[in-house]
Amino acid sequence: MSEPLKIALLGAGVVGSQVARILDEQAGELEARVGRPLEIIGVGVRDVAKERPGIDPSLITADLEPLVEAADVVIEVMGGMEPAGSLVRRALTSGTSVVTANKELLAENLAEFSSLADASGADLYFEAAVAGAIPIVRPLRESLVGDEVYEVMGILNGTTNFILDKMITSGLEFDEALQQAKDLGYAEADPTADVGGHDAAAKAALLAGLAFHSDVKGSQVFREGITGITKQDIEAAKAMNCTVKLLAVASINGDDVAVKVHPAMVPLTHPLANVSGAFNAVFVTSREAGELMFLGPGAGGAPTASAVMGDVVTVARHIVRGGSTPSSSNYRRRRVSDIGASRTRYFISLEVEDRPGILAKSATVFATHHVSVQTVQQSYLEGLERQDGFSARLGFMTHEATESDLAAVVEELRAADFVGPNVRFMRIEGS
Ligand code: NAP
Ligand code: HSE
């Protein structure tokens, strides 16, 4: 019988416990696919006293460095920056392949980790770090590497997609929808990483780096969360035959790359508009393949463990048969463009007095800042909405404009005496 490949499993939480289960339940199948058995030599945790059903207690350890040193493959599903970062560095430096689901760590360190892996001949695989079970890292890194990707647009956070979905389908305000997400176990007790867009920004950085062969860090991604989205925004989107999604958008912008995460109106005809609940999806546009859509569960123990195990089998096969895959290529070295230079379409809503010349004065503000208006709607305010003589609401949909020009329009409208205090805007993507 051939010698087992030694697996160090760092983390036995939501994802790690499922990885351990699959390694146990599917041992025979995995051995057949790899060509050698896969054996967990230790499970690294923080609290060694905790009950861990399904995991042999003799494998549990808090002594992580010796475990990493003894392994052929390190599976890092502990999360956080440290000690995960040091352990991954140690493994890659010594030629030990790493599979990780840690987007937060990778989003700041992928270029460095890739260099370490390439220098030592180790593999670095991280399919589970973006969009859980959905294959999207490997399609960008391997399947589409002979093509030229123009744009990657995705729903990369299930919690926020669930919350926005509830606001749209049940008419809830943000706080009510967030509470439902917490009650159902989608949102964490501290939901900041999800609702603030930090989680999606880390994932967006990884996808942008892979798609555009450049080093993109999570901290460089323009980020706006969903905490400010109101019922009024949702109703405005519905009136425009759109829905509202927290989108991650990475696209070529001249020689640079624009990478941003923000709520956006998405036309109901776009495939991403129909991604409901806690699902994730990624829409890729490339020169040769055209448009591709990837859809599925973006989180959860078993779905994420599925992606981890796909990577484990791949790196194990490389060990058995020889070779490794370059982790990511940064040769193109595109810079991340300033958000002000990024271009898209916008919807701006403002409340005004209903008297002659106000529409023209409002439209002039757009013209002054070189923002071209595509359509204008007018509706009338009723009851509590109707305050201080501002009795009409104007909704402007623009053609493509830069963020800096749009910001100038919004600033001038907010300062204008013929406009009420409630000036709102949202980006329109996918049209
Ligand atoms: P989790 O449930 O909190 O589990 C983390 C595990 O790592 C626990 O077993 C914990 O030990 C251990 N750990 C944490 N810090 C440690 C330390 N300093 N020393 C030793 N052990 C430590 O996390 P998770 O949800 O499984 O997520 C793991 C990783 O997968 C994260 O990077 C996350 O972003 C990523 N991910 C998760 C999902 C998901 O759906 N959950 C989806 C995609 C990607 P104790 O058990 O002793 O506390
Ligand atoms: N918290 C994330 C989400 C899953 O809601 O999609 C982990 O990446």
Side-chain angles (χ1 to χ4, degrees):
M1 207 176 108
S2 54
E3 199 187 329
L5 282 170
K6 298 190 278 293
I7 309 282
L9 178 59
L10 306 181
V14 174
V15 180
S17 60
Q18 296 304 305
V19 170
R21 176 184 61 76
I22 297 170
L23 279 163
D24 178 44
E25 286 178 2
Q26 302 292 324
E29 293 288 330
L30 294 167
E31 177 178 349
R33 290 172 204 173
V34 168
R36 273 170 67 181
L38 303 178
E39 181 192 336
I40 299 183
I41 57 163
V43 179
V45 297
R46 206 168 9 204
D47 177 3
V48 291
K50 208 188 272 181
E51 285 271 310
R52 305 196 188 260
I55 298 181
D56 177 352
S58 70
L59 295 175
I60 299 292
T61 178
D63 207 0
L64 306 182
E65 288 179 11
L67 182 56
V68 166
E69 270 162 25
D72 296 313
V73 177
V74 170
I75 305 175
E76 188 276 297
V77 282
M78 55 197 291
M81 302 301 278
E82 286 298 338
S86 302
L87 294 165
V88 167
R89 267 186 205 94
R90 178 180 283 255
L92 294 174
T93 305
S94 63
T96 303
S97 294
V98 172
V99 172
T100 175
N102 192 338
K103 74 222 94 165
E104 188 191 2
L105 177 66
L106 290 169
E108 296 307 319
N109 298 290
L110 180 58
E112 181 209 340
F113 289 173
S114 297
S115 304
L116 293 177
D118 294 345
S120 72
D123 267 320
L124 172 62
Y125 271 68
F126 51 94
E127 186 61 71
V130 184
I134 304 174
I136 184 61
V137 169
R138 202 164 317 178
L140 288 174
R141 179 172 146 173
E142 297 175 20
S143 319
L144 289 166
V145 74
D147 200 340
E148 187 183 351
V149 175
Y150 294 144
E151 185 177 69
V152 180
M153 181 156 48
I155 295 168
L156 301 180
N157 184 270
T159 305
T160 45
N161 203 52
F162 174 88
I163 291 170
L164 291 171
D165 213 28
K166 278 285 160 202
M167 292 178 75
I168 292 157
T169 55
S170 308
L172 301 183
E173 281 290 5
F174 171 77
D175 288 338
E176 298 166 315
L178 171 60
Q179 191 54 50
Q180 281 206 8
K182 284 186 178 174
D183 294 344
L184 289 167
Y186 290 119
E188 310 260 344
D190 177 2
T192 316
D194 292 325
V195 299
H198 302 272
D199 175 76
K203 295 167 179 171
L206 294 175
L207 294 188
L210 291 168
F212 304 117
H213 304 279
S214 299
D215 180 16
V216 178
K217 300 207 186 307
S219 48
Q220 294 175 298
V221 175
F222 171 79
R223 179 185 51 76
E224 218 177 82
I226 64 164
T227 50
I229 298 293
T230 63
K231 263 190 199 176
Q232 184 194 321
D233 299 323
I234 301 284
E235 290 309 317
K238 284 183 180 171
M240 308 300 296
N241 288 323
C242 289
T243 189
V244 178
K245 296 289 180 193
L246 181 71
L247 286 189
V249 187
S251 54
I252 293 172
N253 193 16
D255 282 340
D256 297 347
V257 54
V259 197
K260 43 192 196 153
V261 167
H262 54 67
M265 284 190 183
V266 180
L268 293 175
T269 48
H270 193 280
L272 287 175
N274 299 311
V275 178
S276 58
F279 263 41
N280 282 194
V282 186
F283 192 78
V284 179
T285 310
S286 79
R287 179 179 163 138
E288 309 299 340
E291 295 178 341
L292 303 161
M293 171 91 161
F294 302 81
L295 169 74
T304 307
S306 160
V308 170
M309 287 310 303
D311 286 352
V312 169
V313 168
T314 301
V315 307
R317 282 174 168 166
H318 289 169
I319 294 171
V320 171
R321 289 170 201 170
S324 61
T325 304
S327 341
S328 69
S329 66
N330 296 335
Y331 79 92
R332 192 61 179 76
R333 299 193 189 285
R334 288 182 187 275
R335 288 177 316 156
V336 177
S337 57
D338 183 77
I339 185 65
S342 163
R343 297 179 68 83
T344 192
R345 297 174 60 217
Y346 305 86
F347 178 81
I348 298 102
S349 141
L350 49 141
E351 284 145 26
V352 292
E353 298 166 35
D354 188 16
R355 60 181 170 81
I358 293 296
L359 176 58
K361 279 168 94 170
S362 305
T364 301
V365 176
F366 287 78
T368 305
H369 298 288
H370 325 290
V371 177
S372 175
V373 173
Q374 187 188 36
T375 61
V376 188
Q377 298 171 327
Q378 178 163 322
S379 57
Y380 290 94
L381 302 175
E382 302 292 341
L384 285 176
E385 282 196 313
R386 188 175 185 141
Q387 284 177 1
D388 301 329
F390 299 115
S391 57
R393 178 171 288 147
L394 297 176
F396 291 84
M397 198 175 245
T398 75
H399 289 293
E400 237 184 52
T402 63
E403 286 275 340
S404 52
D405 284 342
L406 190 277
V409 168
V410 171
E411 190 183 335
E412 189 170 334
L413 287 171
R414 283 189 172 144
D417 57 5
F418 58 91
V419 176
N422 187 27
V423 178
R424 301 189 65 76
F425 76 95
M426 204 181 295
R427 298 166 185 90
I428 305 169
E429 300 284 352
S431 60

